[in-house]
Amino acid sequence: MKKKLEDIAIVMNVDLDQVAVAKEDIPLGCELEHEGKLIKIKNLVKSGHRFALVDIKEGEFVRQYGYPFGQSKGIVQGELITVSNIKNVLPQTNLKDFKEPGETTFKAQYLNKTFLGYIRKNGYVGTRNYYLVVPTSMCASETALQVVLNMEDSSENLRKYSNIDGIVAIPNTEGCGCDSTLQIDRFMRVLKGYISHPNVGGCLVMDLGCEQTNYERMHTCLEDTIEDDLRPIDWITIQESGGTRSTIEKAKSVIKSRLSNVNQVKREPSPLGKLIIGTECGASDSFSGITANPVIGNTVDKIIYGGGSAILSEVPEMLGTFNMLFPRFRTLEIANKFEGVLKWYIDIARKLGLTLEANLIPKNIDGGLINNYIKSLGAVMKGGTTMIEDILEYAEPVRKRGLSIMQGPGGDLESVTGIVASGATIICFSTGQGTTTGNAICPVIKVSSNDSIFKKLPEDMDFNAGRLLTEKSCIHSLGEELLDKVIAVASGQKTWSEKWKQRQFQVWTAGKLSL
């Protein structure tokens, strides 16, 4: 059997890669035509797995995307790449080789693009206009949720407010019964990020009264937000309001009195540069780093070319990417800070007697992601190619235009919650196995890595990047198409997760090793 390699496999970097990825199962003995030569396949290569394009000598680093993901134990052309013929070893990066990168080039074609957003008094622009009920602890969470469910049962509550996207709550399991320093500080930073978020037009903060994050402490945390008078912020304490039933009725009354005010803002044309796009991947397969993540990265680049900002996170899925990212750090200080967040994760795992290798699940390995490094190289593709301008702590507000990396876990809900708290107003989320989650206040665009999952979950997937494998599409053209989708969603088009009211909110608890 003889076939053209490009018909059944894909090479990400034709100049540097020594491996190709099978788009479909390739049988033992199949001969592939590639660059005028024949490659004879030495093993059955299942879809999503890698095989050698050339002989890779023992000790030589094996590359995909142009970067190493392991060290060869001696691999011959056409041989399947497995856990048994590579070592999980990478070359060291010499910090003395650092050179400051050039400036990001802004492009008129993206600087001139606009979306219809909600312009806030502080100049930030939201893609949604929610009224938010914020319980400051686990003890107030169910009551806050009951307020929202009670109001949603009466559809007339929002029917006359055409500029309000919904009334939502963010129930949580935080706020008390823990150390009073790092864990509480992080939780309050997340809540502050949501209360002051451009997608929030007004909010009611609800406490029980005796928790660590009660009115006294939260009010102090939010003083600057309140003083700016950016939106109506009201407070209610359950222990001072007559209990559950009385609190629910009082909360409903407060919200109804505020909706006319929240409804006053209208969507207006805003430059693309006002967008902050967050990126996430979950339930990944071997094609996520080949289709969906590069397409998202291409769209991220275009938003940054238009003066916008982006957030890349999931630090456990950045192991082994320092070589790839090193030329992109704006300064050596930022490079060192990135090393610091990686080291923090490795150190806490060691203290707990664990490793970060658990981030690689059996489904990943079955699909061809044979080590953390190859998974990470594919994961960071969704951050595009521009300069890395800043490193943020979890839920720390974005400070600079361009791409920032946020310290955070690989767990979807905790990661997205932090990215939104940092200021993301829209999320692009890649998936290969399929995931249905969204976010409480931020639209999430689900990007499938393959045709199969797009067809299998037609009312959960918003965009099919798997066409890279089945059609004569390119990353740039699909990136343009995804950008159009981002603009449409930012302008009010509902994503599937919004239609199904997938309003997830989960804080990454300090000290927890989330992978």
Side-chain angles (χ1 to χ4, degrees), residues 51 118 139 208 276 346 450:
F51 61 92
Y118 295 106
C139 302
L208 176 63
I276 302 177
I346 294 167
N450 59 78

Side-chain angles (χ1 to χ4, degrees), residues 338-387:
F338 175 73
E339 269 207 311
V341 299
L342 281 174
K343 186 176 182 296
W344 180 91
Y345 243 107
I346 294 167
D347 286 348
I348 193 171
R350 187 180 295 117
K351 288 174 183 176
L352 294 172
L354 304 171
T355 74
L356 301 191
E357 291 181 8
N359 181 263
L360 196 71
I361 62 174
K363 276 281 189 181
N364 294 148
I365 298 169
D366 290 345
L369 297 174
I370 58 173
N371 67 11
N372 289 73
Y373 301 145
I374 190 63
K375 183 180 181 183
S376 293
L377 289 176
V380 299
M381 297 291 283
K382 62 185 181 289
T385 62
T386 63
M387 301 308 102

Side-chain angles (χ1 to χ4, degrees), residues 131-145:
Y131 188 93
L132 183 64
V133 182
V134 182
T136 70
S137 69
M138 64 187 91
C139 302
S141 287
E142 183 60 29
T143 305
L145 183 60

Side-chain angles (χ1 to χ4, degrees), residues 350-498:
R350 187 180 295 117
K351 288 174 183 176
L352 294 172
L354 304 171
T355 74
L356 301 191
E357 291 181 8
N359 181 263
L360 196 71
I361 62 174
K363 276 281 189 181
N364 294 148
I365 298 169
D366 290 345
L369 297 174
I370 58 173
N371 67 11
N372 289 73
Y373 301 145
I374 190 63
K375 183 180 181 183
S376 293
L377 289 176
V380 299
M381 297 291 283
K382 62 185 181 289
T385 62
T386 63
M387 301 308 102
I388 298 165
E389 305 290 349
D390 204 2
I391 307 295
L392 306 173
E393 287 301 319
Y394 183 76
E396 187 177 10
V398 169
R399 294 180 287 252
K400 298 179 181 179
R401 290 199 305 181
L403 179 65
S404 296
I405 291 176
M406 185 197 80
Q407 166 70 299
D412 305 346
L413 306 189
E414 295 166 321
S415 177
V416 171
T417 295
I419 289 170
V420 173
S422 284
T425 50
I426 195 164
I427 303 285
C428 278
F429 189 130
S430 72
T431 183
Q433 307 289 345
T435 175
T436 61
T437 58
N439 180 259
I441 63 171
C442 187
V444 177
I445 299 171
K446 289 293 171 55
V447 181
S448 70
S449 71
N450 59 78
D451 279 345
S452 175
I453 205 65
F454 188 78
K455 293 172 182 175
K456 189 177 181 180
L457 301 174
E459 294 185 336
D460 291 288
M461 299 296 106
D462 300 289
F463 190 90
N464 182 14
R467 287 172 289 161
L468 269 175
L469 301 175
T470 57
E471 301 175 5
K472 289 186 178 179
S473 300
C474 67
I475 289 173
H476 172 72
S477 63
L478 286 181
E480 285 287 337
E481 191 179 325
L482 181 56
L483 178 62
D484 290 340
K485 181 72 174 180
V486 167
I487 290 171
V489 170
S491 300
Q493 184 184 95
K494 297 291 186 185
T495 64
W496 281 115
S497 62
E498 289 181 288

Side-chain angles (χ1 to χ4, degrees), residues 36-56:
K37 298 179 181 179
L38 285 180
I39 299 173
K40 189 171 182 177
I41 298 300
K42 304 294 192 296
N43 322 83
L44 167 65
V45 182
K46 291 185 177 181
S47 175
H49 288 254
R50 290 153 188 79
F51 61 92
L53 295 170
V54 295
D55 292 341
I56 309 173

